[in-house]
Amino acid sequence: ARRLLAKSSTQNDLAEAARILNFVIDHSPNRVEPRVLLAAAQQQMGNNLEARSNLRWVNEKKPGDLGVCLALAQLEIDLGNDIGARDLMKEVVKLTKQMTKEQIPPAIEIAKNCLEVQDLDRFLRHLYNTEKLSKKGMLVLAQLQEDIGNMGFAEQLYEELIEAPDLIIVRHAALFNHRKKDRQRASDILNLLSETDTEDHQRVLA
C-alpha cells in the first residue's frame, strides 16, 4: 500500500491502495496506521470528507500526533471548517517543542490561515526564540509584527534577515523601510543586490 501511495501514483494505484487498506482495517479495526494511510489515499483521490473522517478517528485514538493534527487541520481548512482547524492548531502550538524541521513550514502556512493574530504571534515567537524559524518563517513574523504595529521588533527581524539576503527578503525589507518613510535605509538595502537587480527593485520604491 505504501508503494502505491507514492506521489506519482495513478488513480488506479490509489484505488488499489485504498482497497488493500480497507481490507486491513476490516480485519484490524483498531489499528491506527492503516487509517492514516487510507486518509492519504483518499485525499489524493479528492475524497476529502472520507479522509477527514479517518483522520478524526485517528486523532481521537491517538491525540497529540503532530503529523495527524497538521494533516487534519489542512483538511478542515480545505473543507471550510476554519474553527475546527483553529482548535487543532491550538493543540499543535502546545506541541511546538516536538515539531520536526520538516513539519514547521506546513504548520506555519496552516497557522496563517486559521489562527487568530495573538495565537499566531505566540506560535511564531516561540519558533523564533528556539531558533527553529527559517528565513521564510522570520519574514512571516516580521510582516505580522508590522501589521500589529510592533515596528521595533519588525525592524529587528528585517535587519537580521538582510544579513543573508535574497531577492524576496531584500524587496520586503526595502518596502518596510519605505513604508516607514526611511527612503535612505530602503535604498541602502537595495544596494545589497547586483546593479541589475537594484534597478528592478528601485522601481518598487518609485
Side-chain angles (χ1 to χ4, degrees):
R2 285 184 180 277
R3 178 184 59 80
L4 293 169
L5 288 174
K7 288 186 177 180
S8 59
S9 294
T10 66
Q11 288 296 306
N12 286 339
D13 288 337
L14 294 170
E16 178 63 11
R19 186 190 68 78
I20 294 170
L21 291 164
N22 274 312
F23 177 83
V24 173
I25 291 168
D26 286 343
H27 288 78
S28 303
N30 292 320
R31 288 182 60 185
V32 168
E33 185 181 18
R35 288 186 185 266
V36 174
L37 293 173
L38 178 58
Q42 291 167 332
Q43 190 170 8
Q44 289 186 61
M45 290 189 292
N47 300 332
N48 286 350
L49 287 171
E50 294 178 12
R52 179 174 68 177
S53 178
N54 276 304
L55 286 182
R56 283 180 171 178
W57 184 93
V58 171
N59 194 46
E60 290 178 5
K61 287 286 185 178
K62 190 181 177 183
D65 184 300
L66 277 170
V68 171
C69 286
L70 290 172
L72 182 53
Q74 184 60 63
L75 273 173
E76 297 289 8
I77 290 173
D78 293 343
L79 291 167
N81 184 12
D82 291 347
I83 293 175
R86 186 179 306 133
D87 290 341
L88 284 161
M89 287 307 295
K90 285 182 178 180
E91 294 304 309
V92 168
V93 168
K94 297 175 184 177
L95 302 170
T96 303
K97 290 182 180 179
Q98 302 174 25
M99 198 171 289
T100 67
K101 184 178 180 181
E102 292 73 25
Q103 289 172 327
I104 291 173
I108 291 174
E109 288 302 310
I110 296 169
K112 283 168 54 181
N113 289 324
C114 67
L115 285 183
E116 295 177 351
V117 170
Q118 63 268 27
D119 292 320
L120 178 60
D121 183 38
R122 189 179 305 114
F123 174 50
L124 293 174
R125 280 177 180 264
H126 181 78
L127 290 173
Y128 173 75
N129 290 334
T130 54
E131 299 182 346
K132 289 186 175 182
L133 209 54
S134 66
K135 290 200 301 182
K136 185 177 180 180
M138 285 180 65
L139 183 57
V140 173
L141 180 57
Q143 292 169 326
L144 176 64
Q145 299 311 305
E146 183 179 2
D147 289 343
I148 63 179
N150 194 352
M151 303 300 283
F153 188 31
E155 184 172 7
Q156 174 189 325
L157 290 164
Y158 278 118
E159 290 298 319
E160 286 184 41
L161 283 166
I162 62 174
E163 290 177 5
D166 59 32
L167 287 173
I168 293 175
I169 286 172
V170 166
R171 180 177 183 274
H172 282 285
L175 285 171
F176 168 75
N177 282 278
H178 184 66
R179 288 190 292 270
K180 281 178 46 185
K181 310 299 184 185
D182 190 345
R183 296 183 65 89
Q184 183 57 55
R185 181 57 182 150
S187 180
D188 290 343
I189 290 171
L190 288 173
N191 288 334
L192 294 170
L193 301 176
S194 68
E195 183 175 339
T196 301
D197 289 330
T198 300
E199 289 175 2
D200 290 339
H201 284 75
Q202 287 286 5
R203 298 191 189 100
V204 175
L205 303 183

